[in-house]
Amino acid sequence: MQGKNMLVVSAHAADFVWRAGGTIAAYIRGGADVHVIVLSFGVRGESNDLWKQEGQSAENVERIRTEEASEAARILGLENVEYWDFEDYPMNITRERMDRLTVRIREIRPDIVITHDRRDAFNPDHEKVSQLVSQSCVMANSAGVMLNGLQATRQMSIFGFEPHQTEISDFKPGTIIDITETFEVKRQAMECFKAQKHLIEYYSMRARMRGNHAARISGNKEYRYAECFANFFPTVGRKFV
Amino acid sequence: MQGKNMLVVSAHAADFVWRAGGTIAAYIRGGADVHVIVLSFGVRGESNDLWKQEGQSAENVERIRTEEASEAARILGLENVEYWDFEDYPMNITRERMDRLTVRIREIRPDIVITHDRRDAFNPDHEKVSQLVSQSCVMANSAGVMLNGLQATRQMSIFGFEPHQTEISDFKPGTIIDITETFEVKRQAMECFKAQKHLIEYYSMRARMRGNHAARISGNKEYRYAECFANFFPTVGRKFV
Amino acid sequence: MQGKNMLVVSAHAADFVWRAGGTIAAYIRGGADVHVIVLSFGVRGESNDLWKQEGQSAENVERIRTEEASEAARILGLENVEYWDFEDYPMNITRERMDRLTVRIREIRPDIVITHDRRDAFNPDHEKVSQLVSQSCVMANSAGVMLNGLQATRQMSIFGFEPHQTEISDFKPGTIIDITETFEVKRQAMECFKAQKHLIEYYSMRARMRGNHAARISGNKEYRYAECFANFFPTVGRKFV
Amino acid sequence: MQGKNMLVVSAHAADFVWRAGGTIAAYIRGGADVHVIVLSFGVRGESNDLWKQEGQSAENVERIRTEEASEAARILGLENVEYWDFEDYPMNITRERMDRLTVRIREIRPDIVITHDRRDAFNPDHEKVSQLVSQSCVMANSAGVMLNGLQATRQMSIFGFEPHQTEISDFKPGTIIDITETFEVKRQAMECFKAQKHLIEYYSMRARMRGNHAARISGNKEYRYAECFANFFPTVGRKFV
Amino acid sequence: MQGKNMLVVSAHAADFVWRAGGTIAAYIRGGADVHVIVLSFGVRGESNDLWKQEGQSAENVERIRTEEASEAARILGLENVEYWDFEDYPMNITRERMDRLTVRIREIRPDIVITHDRRDAFNPDHEKVSQLVSQSCVMANSAGVMLNGLQATRQMSIFGFEPHQTEISDFKPGTIIDITETFEVKRQAMECFKAQKHLIEYYSMRARMRGNHAARISGNKEYRYAECFANFFPTVGRKFV
Amino acid sequence: MQGKNMLVVSAHAADFVWRAGGTIAAYIRGGADVHVIVLSFGVRGESNDLWKQEGQSAENVERIRTEEASEAARILGLENVEYWDFEDYPMNITRERMDRLTVRIREIRPDIVITHDRRDAFNPDHEKVSQLVSQSCVMANSAGVMLNGLQATRQMSIFGFEPHQTEISDFKPGTIIDITETFEVKRQAMECFKAQKHLIEYYSMRARMRGNHAARISGNKEYRYAECFANFFPTVGRKFV
C-alpha cells in the first residue's frame, strides 16, 4: 500500500470508524497516506443518546463528538482528518460545497476514494454524500474544470461503505478487506463513541461476520475480521484478484 | 500468475477463444497452468456456416471443429485441452456428467475457474453449463463427496464469460483483464475458425471496446485490449485492487 | 386499529382517494385517528379535464378541486385534512417545507405513514413527495433535530401508494389491505371528482383486481376489493401475518 | 399462534435450527403445531468437520447427524420431525419426491410453510429444495391433483430462510420475527451440532444483528434477537402489521 | 399482418384465450396465419371449479375442457389448434417433447411466437413452458439441428403472456396491443369457460386497464381495450414504433 | 417518417452525434422534422483533449466546439439546432430552465423525444438532463401548466441514448435502429470532433456491434450498423413490431 493515497469521505463524525476503521488502520500501517474528511459532526442526526441528557446543547454535543472522533482517528493512526462542520439531517449539497470537495480531491490526489454507497434506506444524508463525492470526483478528473489552477486528477477507484441494513439498501458486496490484524485497533477506536455502545457491539459483529464470509469465499481461514465495500466500477487489471 | 491453476470450461468448441482467449494466453505466458475442458464441438448449434455446404455431415463438421479448436488452443499456448464430445443444442446435464466434472476439478485443483455466466438470452446451453460448473465446484469443495478417493478442493474463484449480447443477458462486468499484450495471439487463434468471420470481427471489436473501458476506469492509457468477466463472488483480500 | 395514528401524505388533491380511500375509511371505522395532508390541489397537473372548459381559471380550478376533495374526505369519514396549497408540476421541495412536514409529523405522531412510492414513471411530483416524506420522517425521529420544542417521534411504518402504471414504476406489492367493507364508501368518494370519470372506473377495477389477488394469496374468498401498498421496510413482529 | 399449522422443510439436518430455530420454538410455545421435514442428513455436503476425523464413514456421519438433529429438535420442543434421508450434494428432485411432499402437505395442511429462499449463491441444494416446496405447494392446492384421496389444501403463506451470505444471494428481508424469548433455547439447540462451532457463533451473531434491525425498524427496544425471512407473496389482511 | 405467421404456445387449455385472445383474433382478421398449440388441458391444475362437482372424473374434465377450448378457438376465428394432451401440474419437459416442438416450429415457420413469460409466481408449469419454447426456438433456428430433413428457421420475435399477478412475477410490459376491435370476440371466447366466471371478469378488467395504459402512453384515446406482453428481445427496425 | 417531429436533447455538444447521429440522419432523409437542443458546449467536461493545448481558454474551447458541432449537424442534414450554452460539470437544473424546455417542447410538438437515459455511471450531467427532459415532457403534456398561451402537447414517445459503459449504467436495449444507410454520414459527422479520435473509433465499433445485434435478433442480415436506445415506456400499437 506504500505510495497509495486514500481519501475517506464520512457524512457524520463516526461513520469512517464504524464502516472503514479497520481498513484505514491497515492502509496506514501499510504505508499509505490516508485522508479523512468528516462532513458533519452528526449533531442533529447521529447523537440520539447524547440528547437524552437533561439540558443538552448543540454546542456541547458538537464538542463531545469532536473529541470522540479525534481520539478515534488518533487510535487508527490518522494524521489527516478534516472536520467541515456541515449541518446534518438534512445535509445540504450546494455548488460551493461541490467545488470545495473537488478542490480537496485535486490537492489530495487519491488513488482510492471510500464513501457512502448509493442507497441507505434509513439515512438520506448518506445518499446525498454518495452523490456529492461521485460528482466531485467526475469534476476533479475533468481538465476543463478550472479550480485554483489545480491540475485534473486521474480516474480513481471508488468504494462504498456498507450501510446499517444492507439488503434493504440494495448493497452488493464488491470487495471484502481482511482486517484481522487491525480489528483490535478498530474496536478501541469505536469505544471512543461512549454514547453508542449498541453500535460498537453491532459493528464488531459485522466485522466478525464479514470475516466469516471472507474465509468462506477465499478458502483462507486466516481471515477472521473484515470490512465489506461496494465497487462503484469493475475491477481492472492484468490478472484476477 | 506463476503457480496458479486455471480451469476454463467451454460449452462449445470456440467459446474459450472468443470469450477468454487473451486471458488464457496471458496466464500461460505468466507461468500459470491453464486447463480447458471443451464440453461439445458445437456441431449442432455453433456451426451454422459449415452446414451451408452442400452434403455436409456431422462427422465432417466435428472433424473441422476439432481441428480448428486444437489449432486455436495451440496458438494460445495451451497444452491441456480436453474434448468431452457432448451433444449440444440442447446440452444435457446428468448426474454422471456432474460427477465427471467434479472429479476433474479435484484432479486439476484450480485456483480460478472461468466458465459461462448465469444468463445468456440466446443460448440455453451456456446457462446449463454455468449451472453444471457451479454445482460441480460446490461438490468438489465438499469433504463428504467421495469420488475416487480424491481430496476435496479449496473454494476457488469463479468468473463468468461475457455473453454475445450482454445487457439483455443481465451481464454485470466484475473484472476487466487487460489483454493488450496477447491480443495479437488471440486474433490469430480466432482466425482458425474460418467459417465464423463475423465473430472474429465482433470479438476483436469487443476486445477493443473493453480496452477502452479498462483505460477509462483505471486511468491507465496503456490498456488497449481487454476481456470482461462477471464475478461470481465478491473480491477478497488485504487491499483494494 | 383503535389507538393507531395514521398519516397520509398526498401529492395532489385526489391521490389519497384513488390510492388509499378504502384503507382510510376502514381505519376510521376501526377507531384510528387518520390525518391527511394534501400538498397541492393539482391545479396544474391533475385537472386536465377541467381545463378543457372555455375560460377556465386557476382560481376556479382550485375552488372546484377543494370542494371535491373536501366532500370526498367527508364521505370517507375524515375529520383531519390539511391543504398546503403548494404549486404542482413541478412540486418544489425546500428546506422550509421539509421542516414544516417534520413539525407536523411530530405533532401527529403517526404509527403508520402512507405516501407515494419511490418511483412513478409518469409523475415526478409523486417521486419528490416520496422523498420529502422519507426525509421528514427521518428528521422527526431524530432527537437532535430541534423544532418548536417538539419531542422526537418513534420509528413509524411507511407504506407506498400503488402508482398508475405499476410494473414500469418498479412497484412491488408488499401489503394488500382488504377494503371489501369500505369499497362502496370509496366509490362514493371517488365520484366527487366529476371531471375524472375514467379514473373512477380505473380505480374501481384495480380495487376489484387487488381483491382477486388478496383472495388468491390468502385463500380467503371473502376478500373482494383491496388496495395494494409497497412496504418501505420489512414487517417486524412476534409472528407471521 | 394457537391453532396454526406450520411446516418447515429443511434441505439438510441442521438448516431448520440455524435458520428458524427461534421461530419454531416460539410457535411451539405459542401453541402451534409445528412439523419439520428434513430432506437429507447433509452427509456429503454439510458435515465437513466430521469428515476430518480419520477413518470416518458415511454411516457414522449419518448416525451423528441424526442424533444431533434429534436432540436439537427435542430442545426446540418439536414433536414432529421426519427424516427423509435423501442423498445431498446434489439433491435430486424427482416426480416421486414431488408427489411425496405434496401428499405430506395435504396431510399436515399447513397455514405457514418455511423453507429455503429461491437463491443461495453457495448452495444449489437449497435452491432445488426451494423449487420443490414451491411446486409441491402449488400441486397440493390444486383440486385436480388426485393423491391418495386427500383433499386439496388452501393457499398457504410461504417464507424463505435467510441464506448464509444474503446480499449475493439476492435475499430481501420480508418479515423479521422477534425471538428474544426463545433465543436461549435456539442457542442450546445449535450447540448440539458439535462439529460446527463456527456456525453457532455465526448464527448467534446474525440473531443479534437481526434483533438490532427489528428494534430499529419498529422502534421497539425489547426486540433483541430475531430471525429474518423472505416473503414469497405480499402480506394480505384487514390492517397493516 | 397479411403474410405473417404467428405461433401461440399455451400451457393449459384456456391460457391462449385469457392472455392473448384479442391479439389472436386481431391477427386472424388482419390476414395472418395463427397456429395455437395447447400443451395440456389443465385437467389437474386449472379446472378447480369443475372438480367441485360430485363424482367428477379426469375423463369428464378433459372432455369439457376440450369442448370449451375448441369453441373458444372457433369464436376467435382459429383454424389451427393442436392439443398435445400433456399431463399438467407438474408439466414435464423431456427431450422428446423439445424435439417435437422444434419440428412443429420448423413446419409452421412463425415470424412471431407468443408464450408464457419467464416467471410466474403462482404457476411453475408456465415457467417450464417458457423455457421449453425458448429452447425449441433456439434449436429450430440452428442449421446443425437435423430433424426430419426440415430446414432451419430464421430468428423469430418472441413475446411473453402477462401472468396473473404481474409485479410479483417480475413481468415488464414490453408491447401493448390494442384489442378494442376484437375485445367483444375475446369476451365471447372467454365465456366458453363456464366454470371460471371469476377469470372472465378478471381478464375483462385487465383488458380495460391495459387499454387505459395504451391510451395514456400513446396519447391515442381510441385505444380502449388492450393486451400486454413482455418482449424477449429488443425491438429492431428502421424507425421507432 | 414523413410528418414526424423528433426532438433530440443533448447534454453536451457532441452527444447527439455519438449516440444518435445515424438515426437523426435517417429520420431527416425519411422526411421528418428533427430538432436538436444542445444544452452545453461541454467546455468543462467533454473537451479534455482541447485543454491539453498550452494556453487554452474557455472562450477558445467554446468556439471550437461550436464550430465542430455545427459542422457535424450540417453533415447530418440538420437545420434546427439550438445551443443553450449552459455551464457543464455540473449541469444545474433550475425551474427557469425547466420552463424554458417545456415551452420549446410545446412549440416543437415532438412525436418522438430522444435524450440521455436515466443512469450514466460516469456522467452525472447526463442523469440530470434525463430528469430535466422527463419532467419537462410531463409539464408540456399537462393542460394546467400555462406557459405563453401555448397549447399542451400530446404524450410523446421517449427514448434513451446508450451511455458510454452500458452494463454498469443499467442500460437496457429497448429499440435498435438500423443505420446501415446513414452510417457513412454519421462517420463523417463524428470526424468533425477532431480532438476526440478515440471516440470516433469507439462509436464506429459500437454501431457495428449493434448492427450485429440487430441482424441476430431480427434474422435480417442487411442490418450492418445500428444505434441502440432504451424505451422509457412500453411500445403501443395495433400489431407487434
Side-chain angles (χ1 to χ4, degrees):
Chain A
M1 308 165 191
Q2 195 71 39
K4 288 284 179 190
N5 260 2
M6 176 184 280
L7 170 63
V8 182
V9 183
S10 179
H12 309 98
D15 285 328
F16 73 98
V17 183
W18 309 127
R19 301 175 200 289
T23 301
I24 289 169
Y27 265 77
I28 291 171
R29 289 181 179 201
D33 274 334
V34 183
H35 297 71
V36 174
I37 296 175
V38 173
L39 295 177
S40 84
F41 289 107
V43 169
R44 289 161 54 93
E46 314 244 310
S47 310
N48 279 348
D49 291 315
L50 292 174
W51 285 105
K52 285 176 187 158
Q53 291 173 241
E54 194 73 29
Q56 189 57 284
S57 70
E59 292 66 33
N60 197 46
V61 169
E62 179 167 332
R63 188 187 52 75
I64 294 170
R65 296 285 287 177
T66 316
E67 288 172 10
E68 290 175 346
S70 303
E71 178 60 11
R74 197 194 55 75
I75 289 170
L76 295 178
L78 275 164
E79 292 175 4
N80 305 294
V81 186
E82 305 172 24
Y83 302 95
W84 287 16
D85 201 8
F86 293 172
E87 192 183 63
D88 66 324
Y89 275 53
M91 189 161 287
N92 192 15
I93 305 303
T94 63
R95 174 63 189 275
E96 186 226 332
R97 289 175 172 191
M98 214 178 275
D99 281 351
R100 181 174 171 191
L101 182 57
T102 306
V103 164
R104 290 299 291 135
I105 291 169
R106 287 201 175 160
E107 290 167 345
I108 293 167
R109 311 193 79 69
D111 305 289
I112 297 165
V113 168
I114 311 182
T115 190
H116 299 272
D117 198 29
R118 289 193 199 90
R119 279 271 299 141
D120 191 323
F122 282 108
N123 204 314
D125 280 19
H126 291 175
E127 299 185 357
K128 281 189 208 132
V129 170
S130 188
Q131 288 167 28
L132 167 68
V133 175
S134 287
Q135 173 81 62
S136 293
C137 285
V138 165
M139 286 165 63
N141 294 341
S142 189
V145 175
M146 317 298 268
L147 283 162
N148 308 0
L150 290 161
Q151 207 191 340
T153 39
R154 191 170 132 145
Q155 178 69 46
M156 57 290 286
S157 298
I158 312 183
F159 298 94
F161 292 144
E162 182 169 333
H164 188 81
Q165 295 195 27
T166 58
E167 301 98 343
I168 61 172
S169 301
D170 298 333
F171 176 79
K172 286 289 167 200
T175 303
I176 306 183
I177 299 291
D178 172 46
I179 61 163
T180 305
E181 302 215 344
T182 55
F183 176 69
E184 192 46 41
V185 168
K186 176 176 181 173
R187 192 188 325 245
Q188 288 169 31
M190 292 197 293
E191 279 169 2
C192 298
F193 299 97
K194 294 190 187 63
Q196 292 170 289
K197 289 285 176 225
H198 62 293
L199 286 178
I200 301 170
E201 180 202 13
Y202 184 81
Y203 284 102
S204 296
M205 287 190 309
R206 284 202 89 88
R208 184 69 193 91
M209 186 184 85
R210 294 301 184 189
N212 174 297
H213 296 177
R216 179 71 187 77
I217 291 170
S218 67
N220 184 341
K221 298 282 171 58
E222 288 176 17
Y223 294 155
R224 287 188 49 78
Y225 294 94
E227 284 168 349
C228 185
F229 301 91
N231 292 359
F232 275 44
F233 309 121
T235 296
V236 174
R238 294 216 161 84
K239 55 186 174 61
F240 293 105
V241 186
Chain B
M1 307 165 191
Q2 193 73 39
K4 288 284 180 191
N5 262 2
M6 175 184 281
L7 169 63
V8 181
V9 183
S10 179
H12 310 97
D15 285 327
F16 73 97
V17 184
W18 309 127
R19 303 173 200 288
T23 300
I24 289 169
Y27 265 77
I28 291 171
R29 289 181 179 202
D33 274 334
V34 183
H35 297 72
V36 173
I37 296 175
V38 173
L39 295 177
S40 84
F41 288 106
V43 169
R44 290 159 55 91
E46 314 242 311
S47 310
N48 279 347
D49 290 314
L50 292 175
W51 285 105
K52 286 177 187 156
Q53 292 173 240
E54 196 72 30
Q56 189 57 283
S57 69
E59 292 66 34
N60 197 46
V61 170
E62 179 167 333
R63 186 187 53 74
I64 294 170
R65 297 285 288 176
T66 316
E67 287 171 11
E68 290 175 346
S70 303
E71 179 60 10
R74 195 193 56 74
I75 290 170
L76 295 178
L78 275 164
E79 293 174 4
N80 306 293
V81 186
E82 305 172 24
Y83 302 96
W84 287 16
D85 201 9
F86 294 173
E87 193 184 63
D88 66 324
Y89 275 54
M91 190 161 286
N92 192 16
I93 305 305
T94 62
R95 174 63 189 275
E96 186 226 332
R97 290 173 171 191
M98 216 179 273
D99 282 351
R100 180 174 172 192
L101 182 57
T102 305
V103 164
R104 289 301 290 137
I105 291 169
R106 286 201 177 160
E107 289 167 346
I108 294 167
R109 312 194 78 71
D111 304 289
I112 298 165
V113 169
I114 311 183
T115 191
H116 299 271
D117 198 29
R118 287 194 201 90
R119 277 272 299 140
D120 191 322
F122 281 107
N123 203 315
D125 280 18
H126 291 175
E127 300 185 356
K128 280 189 210 134
V129 170
S130 187
Q131 288 166 28
L132 167 69
V133 175
S134 287
Q135 172 82 61
S136 293
C137 285
V138 164
M139 286 165 63
N141 294 340
S142 189
V145 175
M146 316 299 267
L147 283 162
N148 309 358
L150 290 160
Q151 206 190 341
T153 39
R154 191 169 132 147
Q155 177 70 46
M156 57 289 288
S157 299
I158 311 183
F159 299 94
F161 292 143
E162 183 169 333
H164 189 80
Q165 295 196 28
T166 58
E167 302 98 343
I168 61 171
S169 301
D170 298 333
F171 176 79
K172 287 290 167 200
T175 303
I176 305 182
I177 300 290
D178 172 46
I179 61 164
T180 305
E181 303 215 343
T182 55
F183 176 69
E184 192 46 40
V185 167
K186 176 176 182 173
R187 193 190 320 246
Q188 289 169 31
M190 292 196 293
E191 280 169 2
C192 297
F193 299 97
K194 295 191 186 62
Q196 293 170 291
K197 288 285 174 224
H198 61 293
L199 286 178
I200 300 171
E201 181 203 14
Y202 184 81
Y203 285 101
S204 296
M205 288 191 309
R206 284 202 89 89
R208 184 69 194 92
M209 187 183 86
R210 293 303 184 187
N212 175 297
H213 296 176
R216 178 72 188 76
I217 291 170
S218 66
N220 184 340
K221 298 281 171 59
E222 289 175 18
Y223 295 156
R224 286 187 49 78
Y225 294 93
E227 284 168 348
C228 184
F229 301 90
N231 293 359
F232 275 43
F233 309 120
T235 297
V236 175
R238 293 215 162 85
K239 54 187 174 61
F240 293 105
V241 185
Chain C
M1 308 166 190
Q2 194 73 38
K4 288 285 179 191
N5 261 1
M6 175 183 280
L7 170 63
V8 181
V9 183
S10 179
H12 310 98
D15 285 328
F16 73 98
V17 183
W18 309 127
R19 301 173 201 289
T23 300
I24 289 170
Y27 265 77
I28 291 172
R29 288 181 179 203
D33 274 334
V34 182
H35 297 73
V36 173
I37 296 176
V38 173
L39 295 176
S40 85
F41 289 107
V43 169
R44 290 160 54 92
E46 314 243 311
S47 310
N48 279 348
D49 291 313
L50 293 175
W51 285 105
K52 285 176 187 158
Q53 292 173 241
E54 195 73 29
Q56 189 57 283
S57 70
E59 292 67 34
N60 197 45
V61 170
E62 179 167 334
R63 187 187 52 73
I64 294 169
R65 296 286 287 176
T66 316
E67 287 171 11
E68 290 175 348
S70 302
E71 179 60 10
R74 195 193 57 72
I75 290 170
L76 296 178
L78 274 165
E79 292 174 4
N80 305 292
V81 186
E82 304 173 24
Y83 301 96
W84 286 16
D85 202 9
F86 293 172
E87 193 184 62
D88 66 324
Y89 276 53
M91 190 161 286
N92 192 15
I93 305 305
T94 62
R95 174 64 188 276
E96 186 226 331
R97 289 173 172 192
M98 215 179 274
D99 282 351
R100 180 174 172 192
L101 182 57
T102 306
V103 163
R104 290 300 290 135
I105 291 169
R106 286 202 175 159
E107 289 167 347
I108 294 167
R109 312 193 79 68
D111 305 288
I112 298 164
V113 168
I114 310 183
T115 191
H116 299 270
D117 199 29
R118 288 193 201 90
R119 279 272 298 141
D120 191 323
F122 282 108
N123 203 314
D125 280 19
H126 291 176
E127 299 185 356
K128 281 190 209 132
V129 170
S130 188
Q131 287 167 27
L132 168 68
V133 175
S134 287
Q135 173 81 63
S136 293
C137 285
V138 165
M139 286 165 63
N141 295 339
S142 189
V145 175
M146 316 299 268
L147 284 163
N148 308 1
L150 290 160
Q151 207 191 339
T153 39
R154 193 168 130 146
Q155 177 69 47
M156 57 289 289
S157 299
I158 311 183
F159 298 94
F161 291 144
E162 183 169 331
H164 188 81
Q165 295 196 28
T166 57
E167 300 98 344
I168 61 171
S169 301
D170 298 334
F171 175 78
K172 286 290 166 199
T175 303
I176 305 182
I177 299 290
D178 171 47
I179 61 163
T180 306
E181 303 216 342
T182 55
F183 176 69
E184 192 46 42
V185 167
K186 176 176 181 172
R187 191 189 322 246
Q188 289 169 31
M190 292 196 292
E191 279 169 2
C192 297
F193 299 97
K194 294 189 188 62
Q196 293 169 291
K197 289 287 175 224
H198 62 293
L199 286 178
I200 300 171
E201 181 203 14
Y202 184 81
Y203 284 101
S204 296
M205 287 190 309
R206 283 202 90 88
R208 185 69 194 90
M209 186 184 84
R210 293 302 184 189
N212 174 298
H213 295 178
R216 178 71 187 76
I217 291 170
S218 66
N220 184 341
K221 297 281 171 58
E222 289 176 17
Y223 295 156
R224 287 187 49 77
Y225 294 93
E227 284 168 350
C228 183
F229 301 90
N231 293 359
F232 275 44
F233 308 120
T235 296
V236 175
R238 295 215 160 85
K239 54 187 174 60
F240 293 106
V241 184
Chain D
M1 307 167 191
Q2 194 72 38
K4 287 285 179 191
N5 261 1
M6 175 184 280
L7 169 63
V8 182
V9 183
S10 180
H12 310 98
D15 285 328
F16 73 97
V17 183
W18 309 127
R19 301 173 201 288
T23 300
I24 289 169
Y27 265 77
I28 291 171
R29 288 182 179 200
D33 274 334
V34 183
H35 297 71
V36 174
I37 296 175
V38 174
L39 295 177
S40 85
F41 289 107
V43 169
R44 289 159 54 93
E46 314 242 312
S47 310
N48 280 348
D49 291 314
L50 292 175
W51 285 104
K52 285 177 188 158
Q53 291 173 242
E54 194 73 30
Q56 189 57 283
S57 69
E59 291 67 33
N60 197 44
V61 170
E62 179 166 333
R63 188 187 52 73
I64 294 170
R65 296 286 287 177
T66 317
E67 287 171 11
E68 289 175 347
S70 303
E71 179 59 10
R74 197 193 56 73
I75 290 170
L76 295 177
L78 275 164
E79 292 176 4
N80 305 293
V81 186
E82 305 172 23
Y83 301 96
W84 287 16
D85 201 9
F86 294 173
E87 192 184 63
D88 66 325
Y89 275 52
M91 189 160 286
N92 192 15
I93 306 304
T94 62
R95 174 63 190 275
E96 186 226 333
R97 289 174 173 191
M98 214 179 275
D99 282 351
R100 180 174 172 191
L101 182 57
T102 306
V103 164
R104 289 301 288 136
I105 291 169
R106 286 202 176 159
E107 289 167 346
I108 294 167
R109 311 194 78 70
D111 305 290
I112 299 164
V113 168
I114 311 182
T115 191
H116 298 271
D117 199 28
R118 287 194 201 89
R119 278 272 299 140
D120 191 322
F122 281 109
N123 203 314
D125 280 18
H126 291 175
E127 300 185 357
K128 280 190 210 133
V129 170
S130 188
Q131 287 167 28
L132 167 68
V133 175
S134 286
Q135 173 81 63
S136 293
C137 285
V138 165
M139 286 164 65
N141 294 340
S142 189
V145 175
M146 316 300 267
L147 283 162
N148 308 1
L150 290 160
Q151 206 190 341
T153 40
R154 190 169 133 147
Q155 177 69 47
M156 57 290 288
S157 298
I158 312 183
F159 298 94
F161 292 143
E162 183 169 331
H164 188 81
Q165 295 195 29
T166 58
E167 301 98 343
I168 61 172
S169 301
D170 298 334
F171 176 78
K172 286 292 166 197
T175 303
I176 305 182
I177 300 290
D178 172 47
I179 62 162
T180 306
E181 302 214 345
T182 55
F183 175 68
E184 192 46 41
V185 168
K186 176 176 181 172
R187 191 189 322 247
Q188 288 170 31
M190 292 196 292
E191 280 169 2
C192 297
F193 299 97
K194 294 191 188 62
Q196 293 169 291
K197 289 288 176 223
H198 61 293
L199 286 178
I200 301 171
E201 181 202 14
Y202 185 81
Y203 284 102
S204 296
M205 287 190 309
R206 283 202 89 89
R208 185 68 194 91
M209 187 184 85
R210 293 302 184 188
N212 175 299
H213 295 177
R216 179 70 187 78
I217 291 170
S218 66
N220 184 340
K221 298 282 171 59
E222 289 176 17
Y223 295 156
R224 287 188 49 78
Y225 293 94
E227 284 168 349
C228 185
F229 301 90
N231 293 358
F232 275 44
F233 309 120
T235 296
V236 174
R238 295 216 160 83
K239 55 187 175 59
F240 293 106
V241 185
Chain E
M1 308 167 191
Q2 194 72 40
K4 287 285 180 192
N5 261 2
M6 176 184 280
L7 170 62
V8 182
V9 183
S10 179
H12 309 98
D15 285 329
F16 73 97
V17 183
W18 309 128
R19 302 173 201 289
T23 300
I24 289 169
Y27 265 76
I28 291 171
R29 289 182 178 201
D33 274 333
V34 183
H35 297 71
V36 174
I37 296 175
V38 173
L39 296 177
S40 84
F41 289 107
V43 169
R44 289 161 53 94
E46 313 242 311
S47 310
N48 280 347
D49 291 313
L50 292 175
W51 285 105
K52 285 178 186 155
Q53 290 173 241
E54 195 72 30
Q56 189 57 284
S57 70
E59 292 66 33
N60 197 46
V61 169
E62 179 167 333
R63 188 188 50 75
I64 294 171
R65 297 286 287 177
T66 316
E67 287 171 11
E68 290 175 347
S70 303
E71 178 60 11
R74 196 194 55 75
I75 290 171
L76 295 177
L78 275 164
E79 293 175 2
N80 305 292
V81 186
E82 304 172 23
Y83 301 96
W84 286 17
D85 202 8
F86 293 173
E87 192 184 63
D88 66 325
Y89 275 53
M91 189 161 287
N92 192 15
I93 306 304
T94 63
R95 175 63 189 275
E96 186 227 332
R97 290 173 171 190
M98 216 179 273
D99 282 351
R100 180 175 172 190
L101 182 58
T102 306
V103 164
R104 290 300 289 137
I105 291 169
R106 287 201 176 161
E107 289 167 346
I108 294 166
R109 311 193 79 70
D111 306 288
I112 298 165
V113 168
I114 311 182
T115 191
H116 299 270
D117 199 28
R118 289 195 200 88
R119 278 271 300 139
D120 191 323
F122 282 108
N123 203 315
D125 280 18
H126 291 175
E127 300 185 357
K128 280 189 211 135
V129 170
S130 187
Q131 287 168 26
L132 167 68
V133 175
S134 286
Q135 174 81 63
S136 294
C137 285
V138 165
M139 286 165 63
N141 294 340
S142 189
V145 175
M146 316 299 267
L147 284 162
N148 308 0
L150 291 160
Q151 207 191 340
T153 40
R154 192 169 131 146
Q155 177 69 46
M156 57 289 289
S157 299
I158 312 183
F159 298 94
F161 292 144
E162 182 169 332
H164 189 80
Q165 295 195 28
T166 58
E167 302 98 343
I168 60 172
S169 301
D170 299 333
F171 175 78
K172 287 290 166 198
T175 303
I176 306 183
I177 299 290
D178 172 47
I179 61 162
T180 305
E181 303 214 344
T182 56
F183 176 69
E184 191 47 41
V185 167
K186 176 176 181 172
R187 192 190 322 246
Q188 288 169 32
M190 291 196 293
E191 279 168 3
C192 298
F193 300 95
K194 294 192 187 62
Q196 292 170 292
K197 289 287 175 223
H198 61 292
L199 286 178
I200 301 171
E201 181 203 13
Y202 184 81
Y203 284 101
S204 295
M205 287 189 310
R206 283 202 89 88
R208 184 70 193 91
M209 187 183 84
R210 293 302 184 189
N212 175 297
H213 295 177
R216 178 71 187 77
I217 291 170
S218 67
N220 183 340
K221 297 282 170 56
E222 289 176 17
Y223 295 155
R224 287 187 49 78
Y225 294 93
E227 285 168 348
C228 185
F229 301 90
N231 293 359
F232 274 44
F233 309 120
T235 296
V236 175
R238 295 216 160 84
K239 55 187 174 61
F240 293 106
V241 185
Chain F
M1 309 164 189
Q2 194 72 38
K4 288 284 179 192
N5 262 2
M6 175 184 280
L7 169 63
V8 181
V9 183
S10 179
H12 310 98
D15 285 328
F16 73 97
V17 183
W18 309 128
R19 302 173 200 290
T23 301
I24 289 170
Y27 265 77
I28 290 170
R29 289 182 179 201
D33 274 334
V34 183
H35 297 71
V36 173
I37 296 174
V38 174
L39 295 177
S40 84
F41 289 107
V43 169
R44 290 160 52 92
E46 314 243 311
S47 310
N48 280 348
D49 291 314
L50 293 175
W51 285 105
K52 285 177 187 157
Q53 292 173 241
E54 195 72 30
Q56 189 56 284
S57 69
E59 292 66 32
N60 197 45
V61 170
E62 179 166 332
R63 188 187 52 74
I64 294 170
R65 297 285 287 176
T66 316
E67 288 171 10
E68 291 175 345
S70 303
E71 179 60 9
R74 197 194 55 74
I75 290 170
L76 296 177
L78 274 164
E79 293 176 2
N80 306 292
V81 186
E82 305 172 23
Y83 301 96
W84 286 16
D85 202 8
F86 294 172
E87 193 185 62
D88 67 323
Y89 276 51
M91 189 161 287
N92 191 15
I93 304 305
T94 62
R95 173 63 188 276
E96 187 226 332
R97 290 174 171 190
M98 215 178 273
D99 281 352
R100 182 176 172 191
L101 182 57
T102 306
V103 165
R104 289 301 288 136
I105 291 169
R106 287 201 175 161
E107 290 166 346
I108 294 166
R109 312 194 78 70
D111 305 289
I112 298 165
V113 169
I114 311 183
T115 191
H116 299 272
D117 199 29
R118 287 193 201 91
R119 278 272 297 141
D120 191 323
F122 281 108
N123 203 315
D125 280 18
H126 290 175
E127 300 185 356
K128 280 188 210 135
V129 170
S130 188
Q131 287 168 28
L132 167 68
V133 175
S134 286
Q135 173 82 63
S136 293
C137 285
V138 165
M139 286 165 64
N141 294 339
S142 188
V145 175
M146 316 299 267
L147 283 162
N148 308 0
L150 290 160
Q151 208 190 339
T153 39
R154 193 168 130 148
Q155 177 70 46
M156 57 289 289
S157 299
I158 312 183
F159 298 95
F161 292 143
E162 183 169 332
H164 188 81
Q165 294 196 27
T166 57
E167 301 98 344
I168 61 171
S169 301
D170 298 334
F171 175 79
K172 286 290 165 199
T175 303
I176 305 182
I177 299 290
D178 172 46
I179 62 163
T180 305
E181 302 215 345
T182 56
F183 176 69
E184 192 45 41
V185 168
K186 176 176 182 172
R187 189 183 332 239
Q188 289 169 31
M190 292 196 293
E191 278 168 3
C192 297
F193 299 97
K194 294 189 188 61
Q196 292 170 290
K197 289 287 175 222
H198 62 292
L199 286 178
I200 300 170
E201 181 203 13
Y202 185 80
Y203 285 101
S204 296
M205 287 191 308
R206 285 202 87 89
R208 185 69 193 93
M209 186 184 85
R210 294 301 184 190
N212 175 298
H213 295 177
R216 178 71 186 76
I217 291 171
S218 66
N220 184 340
K221 297 282 170 57
E222 289 175 18
Y223 295 155
R224 287 188 48 79
Y225 295 93
E227 285 168 349
C228 184
F229 301 90
N231 293 358
F232 275 45
F233 309 120
T235 296
V236 175
R238 294 216 161 84
K239 55 186 175 59
F240 293 106
V241 185

